[in-house]
Structures are given as structure tokens and as C-alpha cells.
Amino acid sequence: ARGGGGRQAAAAHEDAELLKALLVGAMWPRCAKVELPSGGKPARRGADADAPPPPVKLKIKDDTGVGSASLHPSCVLARQAAALKASYCVYGEAHKSGSGAVMLREATPVPPLSLLLFGGRLRHDAKAGMVGIDDGWVRFRLAPEAAELILAVRRMLDDLLSRKWEAPRSDTAAQERMLLEGVRELLAMGR
């Protein structure tokens, strides 16, 4: 019975990663770059150990350009900021506080692969070894083989969604299952 529990835990992990990826699709372009505290300093000890962690700094882009933001104190992620390892998050709401600071609520950390598979339109610059999303504000340096794999999977996802949009009752169940299983596995590996 032990092996079954391990498989269930792995499936639950894959489902959680898929859910995060789907949040990217639902919330795009509300994406923030996370600026983690500088480089791998050891955990604080002594008097500093009780001090609150430094606030997570975020960069967001809107119609006016790139700006700074913070997590709203009511955001669950703000209370878990010390353990945050992701370099991106998607958020549901951004608002200006009385001081003019932009505060994000309903933020969820997401891995880069989720952004590539479910974010905006991809642009591949093979010469520079980069894949950018929409206008390139979010971009990643990828090995040529990885870039081609991601672009191919993304084309398949986009194609499947387009076909389902145009003909919701079409029978694509087998293709959906295979693609979804492949995406789940990719997301679990890319974490």
C-alpha cells in the first residue's frame, strides 16, 4: 500500500503545478517579477532572527511602463515571503495605497515554464537564445532544444484550445489526455 501513497502524492503535486499554470492563463498579463533578497545570505541569528523578513520587492508592467510593487499585508503570500523561491508570480488585483505605493493581492508564485506554456504570445529569438512573452518584458534564455520543445508544446496547446473554442463538442478526448499528461509531466519536472 506504500507505493500507492507515493503515486497519489506525485499526482497531487502534478495537479498543483498544473493549477498554477492554468492561473497564469487566467490572470495573464498580471504577472510580477520577484526580486529576491540578494544572494544566498545565511539565515539570521541572534537578535536579527526575530526581525521580520525584508519585504519582497516586485516589478510589474502596465500601460504606463514598469513599476515597483509590494505584496499587500492581507495577501497570504506576504506572510510566506521568507520562503518564496519563485522568480515570478501572477496576481489578481493591484491597487495604489494612500501613499501611492502599488500593492498586489491574490498573488501566486509560478515557475517560468508555466509562463511559457500559458502566458502571452511567445517570440523566439534563436540568434540570442531567448524566448520572450508578448513584448519581451518577461523573457528567458533557453538552449535551442528546450526552446523548440516549449514552442512545439505551446503550439499544440494553442491549437487544441482554438479547435475546442470553434467546435466545443468535437471529440478531442484522446488528444487532450495525451497533451495534458505531457504538460503535467513537464511542469512537474520544471519546478
Side-chain angles (χ1 to χ4, degrees), residues 53-123:
V56 173
K57 295 178 183 175
L58 305 167
K59 293 288 185 192
I60 61 170
K61 184 172 188 249
D62 60 17
D63 295 338
T64 62
V66 176
S68 296
S70 301
L71 294 170
H72 191 278
S74 69
C75 179
V76 172
L77 190 56
R79 295 188 291 276
Q80 301 169 344
L84 185 61
K85 293 182 174 93
S87 51
Y88 296 91
C89 67
V90 291
Y91 58 92
E93 178 185 347
H95 75 278
K96 286 194 177 183
S97 66
S99 66
V102 177
M103 306 294 280
L104 306 183
R105 294 182 195 229
E106 303 159 6
T108 301
V110 293
L113 187 54
S114 295
L115 296 171
L116 288 165
L117 293 179
F118 292 94
R121 185 174 309 277
L122 298 183
R123 305 220 188 284

Coordinates of all heavy atoms in Angstrom, one line a residue, residues 53-123:
P53 N 11.2 39.4 8.1 CA 12.0 39.3 6.8 C 11.8 40.6 6.0 O 10.7 41.3 6.1 CB 11.4 38.1 6.1 CG 10.1 37.9 6.6 CD 10.1 38.4 8.0
P54 N 12.8 41.0 5.2 CA 12.6 42.2 4.4 C 11.4 41.9 3.4 O 11.2 40.8 3.0 CB 13.9 42.3 3.7 CG 14.6 41.0 3.8 CD 14.0 40.3 5.0
P55 N 10.7 43.0 3.1 CA 9.6 42.8 2.2 C 10.1 42.4 0.8 O 11.2 42.8 0.4 CB 8.9 44.2 2.1 CG 10.0 45.1 2.6 CD 10.9 44.4 3.5
V56 N 9.3 41.5 0.2 CA 9.6 41.1 -1.2 C 9.4 42.3 -2.1 O 8.3 42.9 -2.1 CB 8.8 39.9 -1.6 CG1 9.0 39.5 -3.0 CG2 9.1 38.7 -0.7
K57 N 10.3 42.5 -3.0 CA 10.2 43.6 -4.0 C 9.7 43.0 -5.3 O 10.2 41.9 -5.7 CB 11.5 44.3 -4.2 CG 12.0 45.0 -2.9 CD 13.3 45.7 -3.2 CE 13.8 46.4 -1.9 NZ 15.2 46.9 -2.1
L58 N 8.8 43.6 -5.9 CA 8.2 43.1 -7.1 C 8.3 44.2 -8.2 O 8.2 45.4 -7.9 CB 6.7 42.8 -6.9 CG 6.4 41.8 -5.8 CD1 4.9 41.7 -5.5 CD2 6.9 40.4 -6.2
K59 N 8.3 43.8 -9.5 CA 8.2 44.7 -10.6 C 7.0 44.2 -11.4 O 6.9 43.0 -11.7 CB 9.5 44.6 -11.5 CG 10.7 45.1 -10.8 CD 10.7 46.6 -10.7 CE 12.0 47.1 -10.1 NZ 11.9 48.5 -9.7
I60 N 6.2 45.2 -11.8 CA 5.1 44.9 -12.6 C 5.1 45.8 -13.8 O 5.7 46.9 -13.8 CB 3.7 45.0 -11.9 CG1 3.5 46.5 -11.4 CG2 3.6 44.0 -10.8 CD1 2.1 46.7 -10.8
K61 N 4.4 45.4 -14.9 CA 4.3 46.2 -16.1 C 2.9 46.5 -16.4 O 2.1 45.5 -16.4 CB 5.0 45.5 -17.2 CG 5.0 46.4 -18.5 CD 5.9 45.8 -19.6 CE 6.1 46.7 -20.7 NZ 5.4 46.3 -21.9
D62 N 2.5 47.7 -16.7 CA 1.2 48.0 -17.1 C 1.3 49.0 -18.3 O 2.3 49.1 -18.9 CB 0.3 48.6 -16.0 CG 0.9 49.9 -15.4 OD1 1.8 50.5 -16.1 OD2 0.5 50.3 -14.3
D63 N 0.2 49.6 -18.6 CA 0.2 50.5 -19.8 C 1.1 51.7 -19.7 O 1.5 52.3 -20.7 CB -1.2 51.0 -20.1 CG -2.2 49.9 -20.4 OD1 -1.7 48.9 -20.9 OD2 -3.4 50.1 -20.2
T64 N 1.5 52.1 -18.5 CA 2.3 53.2 -18.2 C 3.8 52.8 -18.2 O 4.7 53.7 -18.1 CB 2.0 54.0 -17.0 OG1 2.1 53.1 -15.8 CG2 0.5 54.4 -17.1
G65 N 4.1 51.6 -18.1 CA 5.5 51.1 -18.1 C 5.8 50.2 -16.9 O 4.8 49.6 -16.4
V66 N 7.0 50.0 -16.5 CA 7.4 49.1 -15.5 C 7.5 49.9 -14.2 O 8.0 51.0 -14.1 CB 8.8 48.5 -15.8 CG1 9.3 47.6 -14.6 CG2 8.7 47.7 -17.1
G67 N 6.9 49.3 -13.1 CA 7.0 50.0 -11.8 C 7.2 49.0 -10.7 O 7.1 47.8 -10.9
S68 N 7.4 49.5 -9.5 CA 7.6 48.7 -8.3 C 6.3 48.4 -7.7 O 5.3 49.2 -7.8 CB 8.5 49.4 -7.3 OG 9.8 49.6 -7.9
A69 N 6.2 47.3 -7.0 CA 5.0 46.9 -6.2 C 5.5 46.1 -5.0 O 6.6 45.7 -4.9 CB 4.1 46.1 -7.1
S70 N 4.5 46.0 -4.1 CA 4.7 45.1 -2.9 C 3.5 44.3 -2.7 O 2.4 44.5 -3.3 CB 4.8 46.0 -1.7 OG 5.9 46.9 -1.8
L71 N 3.7 43.2 -1.9 CA 2.5 42.4 -1.6 C 1.7 43.1 -0.5 O 2.3 43.6 0.5 CB 3.0 41.0 -1.1 CG 3.7 40.2 -2.2 CD1 4.3 38.9 -1.5 CD2 2.8 39.8 -3.3
H72 N 0.4 43.1 -0.7 CA -0.5 43.7 0.3 C -0.4 42.8 1.6 O -0.3 41.6 1.5 CB -1.9 43.7 -0.2 CG -2.8 44.5 0.7 ND1 -3.4 44.0 1.8 CD2 -3.2 45.8 0.6 CE1 -4.2 44.9 2.4 NE2 -4.1 46.0 1.6
P73 N -0.4 43.4 2.8 CA -0.3 42.6 4.0 C -1.4 41.5 4.2 O -1.1 40.5 4.8 CB -0.4 43.7 5.1 CG 0.0 45.0 4.5 CD -0.4 44.9 3.1
S74 N -2.5 41.7 3.5 CA -3.6 40.7 3.6 C -3.4 39.6 2.7 O -4.1 38.6 2.7 CB -4.9 41.4 3.3 OG -5.0 41.7 2.0
C75 N -2.4 39.7 1.8 CA -2.1 38.6 0.8 C -1.4 37.5 1.5 O -0.4 37.7 2.3 CB -1.2 39.2 -0.3 SG -0.7 38.0 -1.5
V76 N -1.9 36.3 1.4 CA -1.3 35.1 2.0 C 0.2 35.0 1.7 O 1.0 34.7 2.5 CB -2.1 33.8 1.6 CG1 -1.4 32.6 2.2 CG2 -3.5 33.9 2.1
L77 N 0.5 35.3 0.4 CA 1.9 35.2 0.0 C 2.8 36.1 0.8 O 4.0 35.8 1.0 CB 2.0 35.4 -1.5 CG 3.4 35.1 -2.1 CD1 3.8 33.7 -1.9 CD2 3.3 35.4 -3.6
A78 N 2.3 37.2 1.2 CA 3.1 38.2 2.0 C 3.5 37.6 3.3 O 4.7 37.9 3.8 CB 2.3 39.5 2.3
R79 N 2.7 36.7 3.9 CA 3.1 36.1 5.2 C 4.0 34.9 5.0 O 4.6 34.4 5.9 CB 1.8 35.6 5.9 CG 1.0 36.8 6.3 CD -0.2 36.4 7.2 NE -1.2 35.7 6.5 CZ -2.2 36.2 5.8 NH1 -2.3 37.5 5.7 NH2 -3.1 35.4 5.3
Q80 N 4.2 34.5 3.7 CA 5.1 33.4 3.4 C 6.3 33.8 2.6 O 7.0 33.0 2.1 CB 4.3 32.3 2.5 CG 3.1 31.7 3.2 CD 2.3 30.9 2.3 OE1 2.4 31.0 1.0 NE2 1.4 30.1 2.8
A81 N 6.5 35.1 2.6 CA 7.5 35.7 1.7 C 8.9 35.2 2.0 O 9.7 35.1 1.1 CB 7.5 37.3 1.8
A82 N 9.2 34.9 3.3 CA 10.5 34.4 3.6 C 10.9 33.1 2.9 O 12.0 32.8 2.7 CB 10.6 34.3 5.1
A83 N 9.9 32.3 2.6 CA 10.1 31.0 2.0 C 9.9 31.1 0.5 O 10.1 30.1 -0.2 CB 9.1 30.0 2.5
L84 N 9.7 32.3 -0.1 CA 9.4 32.4 -1.5 C 10.7 32.2 -2.3 O 11.7 32.8 -2.0 CB 8.9 33.9 -1.8 CG 8.5 34.1 -3.2 CD1 7.3 33.2 -3.6 CD2 8.0 35.6 -3.4
K85 N 10.6 31.3 -3.2 CA 11.8 30.9 -4.1 C 11.5 31.2 -5.6 O 12.4 31.2 -6.4 CB 12.1 29.5 -3.9 CG 12.6 29.1 -2.5 CD 13.0 27.7 -2.4 CE 13.7 27.4 -1.1 NZ 12.8 26.9 -0.1
A86 N 10.2 31.5 -5.9 CA 9.9 31.7 -7.3 C 10.4 33.1 -7.7 O 10.6 34.0 -6.9 CB 8.4 31.7 -7.4
S87 N 10.6 33.2 -9.0 CA 11.1 34.5 -9.6 C 9.9 35.2 -10.3 O 10.1 36.4 -10.7 CB 12.2 34.3 -10.5 OG 11.9 33.3 -11.5
Y88 N 8.7 34.6 -10.3 CA 7.6 35.3 -10.9 C 6.3 34.9 -10.1 O 6.3 33.9 -9.4 CB 7.3 34.8 -12.3 CG 8.4 35.2 -13.2 CD1 9.5 34.3 -13.5 CD2 8.4 36.4 -13.9 CE1 10.5 34.7 -14.3 CE2 9.4 36.8 -14.7 CZ 10.5 36.0 -14.9 OH 11.5 36.3 -15.7
C89 N 5.3 35.8 -10.1 CA 4.0 35.4 -9.5 C 3.0 36.1 -10.4 O 3.3 37.1 -11.1 CB 3.9 35.8 -8.1 SG 3.9 37.6 -7.7
V90 N 1.8 35.5 -10.4 CA 0.7 36.2 -11.0 C -0.2 36.7 -9.9 O -0.2 36.2 -8.8 CB -0.1 35.2 -12.0 CG1 0.7 34.9 -13.2 CG2 -0.5 34.0 -11.3
Y91 N -1.0 37.7 -10.2 CA -1.8 38.3 -9.2 C -3.2 38.7 -9.7 O -3.4 38.9 -10.9 CB -1.1 39.6 -8.6 CG -0.8 40.6 -9.6 CD1 -1.7 41.7 -9.8 CD2 0.4 40.6 -10.3 CE1 -1.4 42.7 -10.8 CE2 0.7 41.6 -11.3 CZ -0.2 42.6 -11.5 OH 0.0 43.6 -12.4
G92 N -4.1 38.8 -8.8 CA -5.5 39.1 -9.2 C -5.8 40.6 -9.2 O -6.6 41.0 -9.9
E93 N -5.1 41.3 -8.3 CA -5.5 42.7 -8.1 C -4.3 43.6 -7.8 O -3.5 43.1 -7.0 CB -6.6 42.8 -7.0 CG -7.0 44.2 -6.7 CD -8.0 44.2 -5.5 OE1 -8.5 43.2 -5.1 OE2 -8.2 45.3 -5.0
A94 N -4.2 44.7 -8.3 CA -3.2 45.7 -8.0 C -3.9 47.0 -7.7 O -4.8 47.4 -8.4 CB -2.2 45.9 -9.1
H95 N -3.5 47.6 -6.6 CA -4.1 48.9 -6.3 C -3.1 49.8 -5.6 O -2.1 49.4 -5.0 CB -5.4 48.8 -5.4 CG -5.1 48.5 -4.0 ND1 -4.9 47.2 -3.6 CD2 -5.1 49.2 -2.9 CE1 -4.6 47.2 -2.3 NE2 -4.8 48.4 -1.8
K96 N -3.4 51.1 -5.7 CA -2.4 52.1 -5.0 C -2.9 52.4 -3.6 O -4.1 52.6 -3.4 CB -2.4 53.4 -5.8 CG -1.6 53.3 -7.1 CD -1.3 54.6 -7.7 CE -0.4 54.4 -8.9 NZ 0.1 55.6 -9.5
S97 N -2.0 52.4 -2.7 CA -2.3 52.7 -1.3 C -2.4 54.2 -1.2 O -2.1 54.9 -2.1 CB -1.2 52.1 -0.4 OG 0.0 52.8 -0.6
G98 N -2.7 54.7 0.0 CA -2.8 56.1 0.3 C -1.5 56.8 0.0 O -1.4 58.0 -0.4
S99 N -0.4 56.1 0.2 CA 1.0 56.7 0.0 C 1.4 56.6 -1.5 O 2.4 57.1 -1.8 CB 2.0 55.9 0.8 OG 2.1 54.6 0.4
G100 N 0.6 56.0 -2.3 CA 0.9 55.9 -3.7 C 1.6 54.6 -4.1 O 1.8 54.4 -5.3
A101 N 1.9 53.8 -3.1 CA 2.6 52.5 -3.4 C 1.6 51.5 -4.0 O 0.5 51.5 -3.6 CB 3.2 51.9 -2.1
V102 N 2.1 50.8 -5.0 CA 1.2 49.7 -5.6 C 1.3 48.5 -4.8 O 2.4 48.0 -4.5 CB 1.7 49.5 -7.1 CG1 0.8 48.4 -7.7 CG2 1.6 50.7 -7.9
M103 N 0.2 48.0 -4.4 CA 0.1 46.8 -3.6 C -0.7 45.7 -4.4 O -1.7 45.9 -5.0 CB -0.7 47.0 -2.3 CG -0.2 48.2 -1.5 SD 1.5 47.9 -0.9 CE 1.1 46.9 0.6
L104 N -0.1 44.4 -4.3 CA -0.7 43.3 -5.0 C -1.4 42.4 -4.1 O -0.9 42.1 -3.0 CB 0.3 42.5 -5.8 CG 1.2 43.3 -6.7 CD1 2.2 42.3 -7.4 CD2 0.4 44.0 -7.7
R105 N -2.6 41.9 -4.5 CA -3.3 40.9 -3.7 C -3.5 39.7 -4.6 O -3.4 39.7 -5.8 CB -4.7 41.5 -3.3 CG -4.7 42.6 -2.4 CD -6.1 43.0 -2.1 NE -6.2 44.3 -1.5 CZ -6.9 44.6 -0.4 NH1 -7.5 43.7 0.2 NH2 -6.8 45.8 0.1
E106 N -3.9 38.6 -3.9 CA -4.2 37.4 -4.6 C -3.1 36.9 -5.5 O -3.2 36.6 -6.6 CB -5.5 37.5 -5.4 CG -6.7 37.9 -4.6 CD -7.8 38.5 -5.4 OE1 -7.7 38.5 -6.6 OE2 -8.8 39.0 -4.8
A107 N -1.9 36.9 -4.9 CA -0.7 36.6 -5.7 C -0.3 35.1 -5.5 O -0.4 34.5 -4.4 CB 0.5 37.4 -5.2
T108 N 0.1 34.5 -6.5 CA 0.5 33.1 -6.5 C 1.9 32.9 -7.2 O 2.0 33.4 -8.4 CB -0.5 32.2 -7.3 OG1 -1.8 32.3 -6.6 CG2 -0.1 30.7 -7.3
P109 N 2.9 32.3 -6.6 CA 4.1 32.1 -7.2 C 4.0 31.1 -8.3 O 3.3 30.1 -8.2 CB 5.1 31.6 -6.1 CG 4.2 31.1 -5.1 CD 2.9 31.8 -5.2
V110 N 4.6 31.3 -9.5 CA 4.6 30.4 -10.6 C 6.0 30.2 -11.2 O 6.8 31.1 -11.2 CB 3.6 30.9 -11.7 CG1 2.2 31.0 -11.2 CG2 4.0 32.3 -12.2
P111 N 6.2 29.0 -11.7 CA 7.5 28.8 -12.3 C 7.5 29.3 -13.7 O 6.5 29.5 -14.4 CB 7.6 27.2 -12.3 CG 6.2 26.8 -12.3 CD 5.4 27.8 -11.5
P112 N 8.7 29.6 -14.2 CA 8.9 30.1 -15.6 C 8.2 29.3 -16.7 O 7.6 29.8 -17.6 CB 10.4 30.2 -15.8 CG 10.9 30.3 -14.5 CD 10.0 29.5 -13.6
L113 N 8.2 28.0 -16.5 CA 7.6 27.1 -17.5 C 6.1 27.3 -17.7 O 5.6 27.3 -18.8 CB 7.9 25.6 -17.2 CG 7.5 24.6 -18.3 CD1 8.1 24.9 -19.6 CD2 7.9 23.2 -17.8
S114 N 5.5 27.6 -16.6 CA 4.0 28.0 -16.6 C 3.8 29.2 -17.4 O 2.8 29.3 -18.2 CB 3.5 28.2 -15.2 OG 3.5 27.0 -14.5
L115 N 4.7 30.2 -17.3 CA 4.5 31.4 -18.1 C 4.7 31.1 -19.5 O 4.0 31.7 -20.4 CB 5.6 32.5 -17.6 CG 5.4 33.0 -16.2 CD1 6.6 33.8 -15.8 CD2 4.1 33.7 -16.0
L116 N 5.7 30.3 -19.9 CA 5.9 30.0 -21.3 C 4.8 29.2 -21.9 O 4.5 29.4 -23.1 CB 7.2 29.2 -21.4 CG 8.5 30.0 -21.2 CD1 9.7 29.1 -20.9 CD2 8.7 31.0 -22.3
L117 N 4.2 28.3 -21.1 CA 3.1 27.5 -21.7 C 1.7 28.1 -21.7 O 0.9 27.8 -22.6 CB 3.0 26.1 -21.0 CG 4.2 25.2 -21.1 CD1 4.0 23.9 -20.3 CD2 4.5 24.9 -22.6
F118 N 1.5 29.0 -20.8 CA 0.1 29.6 -20.6 C 0.1 31.1 -20.6 O -1.0 31.7 -20.4 CB -0.5 29.0 -19.4 CG -0.8 27.5 -19.5 CD1 0.1 26.6 -19.0 CD2 -2.0 27.1 -20.1 CE1 -0.2 25.2 -19.1 CE2 -2.2 25.7 -20.2 CZ -1.3 24.8 -19.7
G119 N 1.2 31.8 -20.7 CA 1.2 33.2 -20.7 C 0.8 33.8 -22.1 O 0.1 33.2 -22.8
G120 N 1.4 35.0 -22.4 CA 1.0 35.6 -23.6 C 1.7 35.0 -24.8 O 2.3 33.9 -24.8
R121 N 1.7 35.7 -25.9 CA 2.2 35.2 -27.2 C 3.8 35.1 -27.1 O 4.4 36.0 -26.6 CB 1.9 36.2 -28.3 CG 2.3 35.8 -29.7 CD 1.8 36.7 -30.8 NE 0.4 36.9 -30.7 CZ -0.6 36.1 -31.2 NH1 -0.2 35.0 -31.7 NH2 -1.8 36.5 -31.1
L122 N 4.3 34.0 -27.5 CA 5.7 33.7 -27.5 C 6.4 34.3 -28.7 O 5.9 34.2 -29.8 CB 6.0 32.2 -27.4 CG 5.5 31.5 -26.1 CD1 5.9 30.1 -26.1 CD2 5.9 32.2 -24.8
R123 N 7.6 34.8 -28.5 CA 8.5 35.3 -29.5 C 9.9 34.7 -29.3 O 10.5 34.8 -28.2 CB 8.6 36.8 -29.5 CG 7.3 37.5 -29.5 CD 7.3 38.8 -30.3 NE 6.2 39.6 -30.2 CZ 5.0 39.3 -30.8 NH1 4.9 38.2 -31.5 NH2 4.0 40.1 -30.7

